[in-house]
Amino acid sequence: MKKLLMAGLAVALATPTYAAQIWVNPAEGHGHVIHIKGTIEKGDANRFANAVGKAGVRPGDATVWLDSPGGLVIEGLPIARAVHKYGWNTYVGENIYCTSMCADIWLAGHSRFINSEAKLGFHSTGDKRGTVWVRNDVGNAAIFGFYRELGLSAKAARVLLAAEPGEDVIWLDSDLAKSLDIAAVTISADEEKSKEQPKVAALGDMPMATEKFTEAPKAAERPAEAPQVDKDNAGPPPVTAEDILPPKEETPREVARPRRAEPHNVERPYRRRYAGGYGGRVCGFSVPVPYIGGITIRGRC
């Protein structure tokens, strides 16, 4: 995961990016609606955790509304894992494009809802080098493992990661979802406008949380404090920011800076040890030279 972090993997398509807006609203009748709108960038996992924690969102009682072209894997995966862990639904609305990391968050939903006019797209993770996108095997391995955590088959995981980053997209339609055994509930535009709760008996007993508006409220209009929670209400306690964010690991100095492994030829097959000089710690490196055979260079380890 450290290599994944240092690489700063982006799985969004090569389109102009805008910082994500993340906010939480009470839903009509029950629970909350958690909004993620815009490109998922550095710090969004923290912003998601803090927004959920301040709103007092409970496990199994929220829907995540998605409107995003994707973004950083290192930020999106903690969000997706929280959605899966706490049993929240996911939803992509009418005429919304949800691609890349956004689509992976959608997959994490306890019950997955999608408007019939929405677009859901998947592709390989990648690094942008200049104007060219290249596949990133480390990122793909992380996403592949996450798909398996969700219960997707290896075939489904390979299909969803098949498209090249920045060049192609696997659009998930009903036929492809059925062939990959990906369950979802499709909502018509009329159902969304009427705010009727869709039937989800085949996926679970929690309906999709709905609300009266989808646009982000102005900063001054957002609630400063979490709503009061009825302590007598049965059910799990609200999720806190600390529940979502991975714990910070303190690495001892001797672990952070380990001594050289022995034997040396395991790490550097061309290195040989020589006795004498520099307190007996002299190393030689054999450098192959065409048509000559090799040159040995000696120096301190």
Side-chain angles (χ1 to χ4, degrees):
M1 288 301 292
K2 183 177 180 181
K3 183 177 180 182
L4 182 66
L5 175 61
M6 297 302 294
L9 294 177
V11 293
L13 292 174
T15 55
T17 60
Y18 303 92
Q21 293 176 295
I22 301 174
W23 74 97
V24 182
N25 286 329
E28 292 182 355
H30 72 92
H32 294 83
V33 175
I34 306 168
H35 291 269
I36 301 177
K37 184 174 184 178
T39 303
I40 299 169
E41 297 180 348
K42 185 177 180 180
D44 279 345
N46 285 335
R47 283 187 278 273
F48 177 86
N50 290 330
V52 168
K54 290 180 180 179
V57 180
R58 292 177 180 271
D61 199 20
T63 299
V64 181
W65 282 23
L66 295 161
D67 180 1
S68 169
L72 297 175
V73 173
I74 199 68
E75 298 292 335
L77 268 182
I79 296 174
R81 285 198 165 100
V83 172
H84 175 62
K85 178 180 179 180
Y86 295 109
W88 295 325
N89 294 334
T90 50
Y91 177 65
V92 181
E94 183 179 6
N95 297 323
I96 298 298
Y97 281 75
C98 175
T99 59
S100 197
M101 196 66 239
C102 176
D104 295 333
I105 296 174
W106 177 83
L107 275 178
H110 167 74
S111 294
R112 310 175 186 112
F113 298 93
I114 184 169
N115 188 278
S116 56
E117 302 301 322
K119 296 292 183 182
L120 199 67
F122 297 83
H123 61 80
S124 165
T125 66
D127 292 318
K128 193 173 184 181
R129 299 177 183 175
T131 59
V132 179
W133 285 85
V134 296
R135 295 175 70 91
N136 189 297
D137 292 336
V138 176
N140 284 338
I143 297 297
F144 186 95
F146 176 65
Y147 288 165
R148 299 294 280 152
E149 290 176 25
L150 298 181
L152 270 65
S153 66
K155 172 189 174 183
R158 288 193 296 268
V159 169
L160 297 181
L161 289 171
E164 294 297 323
E167 297 180 3
D168 197 8
V169 178
I170 301 293
W171 296 109
L172 188 70
D173 57 22
S174 58
D175 292 335
L176 180 58
K178 184 177 181 180
S179 68
L180 299 179
D181 198 24
I182 296 175
V185 176
T186 301
I187 302 173
S188 68
D190 292 338
E191 282 181 309
E192 181 172 319
K193 292 176 182 178
S194 66
K195 300 298 183 182
E196 292 180 1
Q197 298 288 0
K199 297 178 181 180
V200 292
L203 298 178
D205 56 1
M206 182 175 66
M208 182 186 70
T210 61
E211 61 179 5
K212 295 181 179 180
F213 58 90
T214 60
E215 293 299 321
K218 296 179 181 179
E221 297 175 355
R222 300 183 188 182
E225 299 180 355
Q228 296 295 322
V229 178
D230 183 3
K231 296 182 180 180
D232 297 330
N233 185 21
V239 177
T240 66
E242 290 73 19
D243 293 331
I244 296 176
L245 298 176
K248 295 182 180 179
E249 297 181 0
E250 296 183 1
T251 306
R253 181 179 178 85
E254 59 270 17
V255 176
R257 301 181 63 182
R259 298 178 179 178
R260 270 188 291 268
E262 295 290 350
H264 286 286
N265 62 354
V266 173
E267 288 186 314
R268 300 180 180 180
Y270 293 111
R271 184 160 79 176
R272 302 175 184 173
R273 294 192 68 138
Y274 292 86
Y278 298 105
R281 295 186 58 79
V282 179
C283 297
F285 297 86
S286 297
V287 181
V289 178
Y291 308 110
I292 297 178
I295 298 175
T296 300
I297 303 173
R298 300 185 182 185
R300 294 191 66 173
C301 295

